[in-house]
Amino acid sequence: MITRLVQDHAHQLAADARLPAFVYDLAALREHAAEVKAALTAPGAPEIFYAAKANPDVPILRTLAPYVDGIEVASGGELAHVREALPDARLAFGGPAKTDDELELALKLGVERIHVESPHELSRLANIARTAGQEVDILLRLNLAGDRSGVALAMSGPFGMDPKLMESCTDILTASPWVRLHGIHAHLASGLNASAMVAQSTEILTWGRSWLDKIGHTGPREFNLGGGMAVDYAAPDTRFDWKQYGTEVAALARPGETLRIEPGRAISVYSGWYVTEVLDVKEAHGQWYAALRGGTMHIRTPVTKQHNQPFIVLNRDGTGPTVTNEPVTLVGQLCTPKDVFARAVPTERITVGDLIAFSMAGAYAWNISHYDFLMHPKPTFEYLGE
Ligand SMILES: *Cc1c(COP(=O)(O)O)cnc(C)c1O
């Protein structure tokens, strides 16, 4: 839902010739984060660590901070950035192929948990911890095969350790007093609805418990069940069912266990808008096009996900070329046929000068984009409702 605040701001930015712009509705983000947190209050319900890679902008992080238990970072860069933005935040550090420098930084900056991706990484971390004379608290990242059909993205391949590789960790752990194993981390897929997420969480818990039992792990246990809560770009007003997931997953927790999740997209995606204006309208070979200022070099999401980015037309009573009641393809300023925001979307009316507000631009949008391609001006950034 576009708020009056965002709409008015879009018109103001147009009047000031400051489009395209990313406009973030921090009030909406705050409200959404509060709802998610409220759904995770049953005894046993998971802690929530926001995955910074979805959108690490400082105003986003600061808005979320009161409603999350911590932040998950996936590189040394994110780690340094988040530590500076939120000096007191609890941090978990995941991510494949961590360098020694990154692991040392994690020790130095007080990361609460490191998610270890391989036996080699575990050995290196053990050496670093011993040299630093500093104990380090870890989860082992598990990569279960299983059936991930129907998910948006299966995180198979190189991430974490399959059950066979997990075995190689036990000797290293036994020999390394500086490394304390707290439990299991798994981020297996993204795009799961609440029922699928509960099923996947069950799978992780079942496997993890029996493995920890087998290696003789004692004491409190943690299970980080990952992120990947579904976001439906074709239905911008729907939300992942946090209440269902929160209630059902809380019931899975046993005494002495802490559950944790690390969603990114489903938290911040709804708070961002990419607002721009129509520069041209024309028909070519029977297809109507609206060419917009900016392009997918600013918001790569529709290209990577091969979807139509949802949008709203804000009419401005222009008198230029117009298309009415036709499917329209929205393109940007790049010299490539791949620069498409949305394809053949039935539209009432688009005129040169109208504003287009693309919704669901608050995650994996600007920060995954190749903005220097063609050297157009960078967008304006506005954070409303701070
Ligand atoms: C990307 C990622 C997440 C967040 O995924 P979303 O789909 O944005 O919720 C969580 N954990 C890990 C390990 C990731 O790589």
Side-chain angles (χ1 to χ4, degrees), residues 51 53-54 72 74 94-95 115 117 141 155 185 187 189-191 226-229 262-266 364:
K53 83 170 187 281
E72 189 258 355
H115 302 157
E117 293 264 341
R141 180 168 181 182
M155 300 295 290
H185 167 264
H187 172 71
S190 68
M229 288 66 185
E262 46 183 26
R265 191 187 304 267
Y364 305 103

Side-chain angles (χ1 to χ4, degrees), residues 230-378:
V231 162
D232 188 353
Y233 288 87
D237 292 330
T238 61
R239 296 288 181 272
F240 179 83
D241 193 337
W242 288 99
K243 277 201 184 121
Q244 185 199 339
Y245 180 70
T247 310
E248 293 183 12
V249 85
L252 300 175
R254 293 182 185 165
E257 290 181 350
T258 300
L259 308 187
R260 196 170 292 142
I261 53 173
E262 46 183 26
R265 191 187 304 267
I267 301 299
S268 58
V269 72
Y270 306 103
S271 65
W273 298 80
Y274 179 70
V275 183
T276 186
E277 66 189 311
V278 180
L279 297 179
D280 206 349
V281 171
K282 63 187 172 187
E283 190 182 12
H285 298 293
Q287 171 63 55
W288 281 92
Y289 292 92
L292 313 184
R293 191 185 291 278
T296 55
M297 70 288 200
H298 294 163
I299 173 167
R300 198 166 151 244
T301 328
V303 179
T304 51
K305 293 199 65 84
Q306 290 290 300
H307 70 195
N308 288 340
Q309 192 70 26
F311 64 91
I312 301 171
V313 181
L314 303 174
N315 290 119
R316 284 212 303 166
D317 304 323
T319 54
T322 297
V323 52
T324 45
N325 297 317
E326 293 281 353
V328 178
T329 293
L330 304 185
V331 299
Q333 291 180 291
L334 295 182
C335 311
T336 159
K338 293 185 176 173
D339 189 20
V340 175
F341 296 102
R343 207 176 288 279
V345 180
T347 310
E348 257 175 53
R349 180 172 187 275
I350 295 185
T351 299
V352 167
D354 283 347
L355 305 185
I356 306 287
F358 289 99
S359 61
M360 303 183 78
Y364 305 103
W366 166 251
N367 68 325
I368 63 162
S369 301
H370 46 294
Y371 51 82
D372 272 340
F373 184 40
L374 261 81
M375 300 179 75
H376 284 290
K378 293 197 183 67

